[in-house]
Amino acid sequence: GISSAWQVQFPPLQAHDGGWLDVGDGHQVHWTCSGHPGAPALLFVHGGPGAGCTPDDRRWFDPQRWRIVLLDQRGAGQSRAADLLHANDTPHLLADMEALRLHLGIGRWALFGGSWGATLALAYTQQQPQRVSALVLRAVFTATRAEACWLYGTRGAATRHPAAWQRLCTAAGVRPGATLLQAMHARLQSDDADAVAAAHAWRQWEHDLMDAETTGPAAPRTSLADSSALAQARIGVYFARHGWFLAEGELLARADALRGVPGFIVQGARDLVTPAATARALRAAWPAAQLVCVPAAGHASTQPAMARALVNATESFATIATIATIASATAFTHRPPTCQPEETHDA
């Protein structure tokens, strides 16, 4: 049996091109390309907001069959910002994605995103449907008030893991009458130890929920430097306080724009961060997509069943593409499972 996501992912991969793209407003966004330069392009859209990409994000994709593009959003990862939050909102992030596509000379690309990455991928595709060949979305988040209340209110996920919620509220310094987001925003403005502790607690909240989703071992994670944790939390709280800079219900209301775009929605049935109801609502509004509900998985992409479903989804789109230039490429000895995930639904 599969005990780790790494058993179904592709081998580690180096970038063959990359750099910083000046997008104005004091921001330079970092990008890399790897895989086959002549293959269909695929953009990995990272989560957060503010989380950035890692080299392991390339491992979801067959490097013989995809030109793999990674982009760090404004203020995230290796991107450079004179001011973290200045001109940092969803419209700017979408414009940056389009600017990178033009910079790299890509006509159409597939998008792969989970959680906040799924949000951005949906928004971009609704703006530029003719530029998107396919979508693979995990843990769909559409930035509605109901989803915000679930994550950061007292009657949602907080009731599923009250000890973790209390830790988060304590670190944020929530006082009577104040919301978590108000308190967290205020605490993150300073540069003292309380702000650092709050930043780490902001990230830990989602990890605590992921740990509560399954009875197996905790999801693997990397520790963050204090400066990175502060940047990620400041961006994340800023976006959340502004409704992720999207109109209420916008992504579902505009789902008709996706009708010509094939897609996979891969959703963990036990997801406590982005519950499955949102994925089902998106699938109802987007008949061209296939919903793959993974019964044993939650929010984390690193859970083995989730990893298999994600690799299978990208493999199925690579199969559709006819890539004559790759016929002579040297084959990797590692091949992930090719069985197609069955469409299942949680109760």
Side-chain angles (χ1 to χ4, degrees), residues 2-339:
I2 300 167
S3 60
S4 167
W6 317 132
Q7 292 172 266
V8 296
Q9 288 184 299
F10 292 90
L13 185 66
Q14 296 295 314
H16 57 66
D17 195 10
W20 283 268
L21 180 64
D22 192 325
V23 289
D25 309 303
H27 289 278
Q28 293 179 312
V29 293
H30 185 258
W31 62 272
T32 64
C33 286
S34 55
H36 196 296
L42 183 148
L43 175 68
F44 178 90
V45 190
H46 71 71
C53 296
T54 73
D56 279 340
D57 294 330
R58 304 179 185 124
R59 298 184 59 186
W60 297 110
F61 319 109
D62 185 340
Q64 296 180 93
R65 305 170 83 187
W66 292 107
R67 178 185 181 187
I68 305 159
V69 184
L70 268 54
L71 168 66
D72 285 338
Q73 294 155 29
R74 294 187 179 206
Q78 296 183 64
S79 291
R80 300 165 175 165
D83 181 334
L84 208 60
L85 303 182
H86 172 66
N88 193 349
D89 54 36
T90 300
H92 280 100
L93 300 189
L94 298 175
D96 294 347
M97 293 163 68
E98 182 62 3
L100 180 61
R101 184 189 68 79
L102 294 169
H103 177 71
L104 296 177
I106 292 168
R108 297 174 80 216
W109 51 7
L111 304 184
F112 179 107
S115 200
W116 167 248
T119 317
L120 266 191
L122 277 170
Y124 176 90
T125 305
Q126 290 176 0
Q127 276 191 7
Q128 310 276 354
Q130 74 282 6
R131 298 300 180 192
V132 179
S133 59
L135 275 174
V136 177
L137 307 178
R138 172 191 61 82
V140 173
F141 179 73
T142 56
T144 62
R145 283 192 289 268
E147 289 166 287
C149 288
W150 169 263
L151 260 185
Y152 304 123
T154 57
R155 297 180 182 179
T159 65
R160 300 291 189 93
H161 202 330
W165 175 252
Q166 189 55 54
R167 286 194 293 272
L168 177 64
C169 289
T170 299
V174 178
R175 292 186 170 87
T179 67
L180 171 76
L181 291 176
Q182 289 168 339
M184 185 63 78
H185 168 72
R187 182 139 292 188
L188 289 171
Q189 296 318 298
S190 64
D191 289 313
D192 62 14
D194 284 346
V196 171
H200 285 290
W202 172 258
R203 184 168 182 254
Q204 185 62 36
W205 166 236
E206 285 195 14
H207 285 306
D208 285 340
L209 289 179
M210 286 190 275
D211 289 345
E213 291 165 349
T214 61
T215 55
R221 67 198 56 152
T222 54
S223 59
L224 270 190
D226 291 349
S227 59
S228 296
L230 274 169
Q232 192 175 129
R234 284 170 177 161
I235 293 172
V237 171
Y238 178 69
F239 271 74
R241 290 181 70 234
H242 289 87
W244 293 273
F245 300 96
L246 289 163
E248 174 64 15
E250 171 184 343
L251 295 181
L252 286 178
R254 296 175 58 197
D256 191 53
L258 307 170
R259 65 182 179 273
V261 181
F264 272 91
I265 304 166
V266 183
Q267 176 69 38
R270 300 177 180 176
D271 195 328
L272 289 179
V273 180
T274 54
T278 305
R280 288 195 293 265
L282 177 62
R283 170 61 180 83
W286 178 26
Q290 178 179 342
L291 174 62
V292 180
C293 197
V294 186
H299 191 72
S301 59
T302 50
Q303 292 168 342
M306 178 64 73
R308 184 195 289 274
L310 290 170
V311 169
N312 283 338
T314 54
E315 284 289 272
S316 73
F317 286 135
T319 301
I320 293 168
T322 53
I323 312 168
T325 52
I326 305 180
S328 60
T330 303
F332 275 91
T333 55
H334 171 98
R335 299 294 299 174
T338 55
C339 60

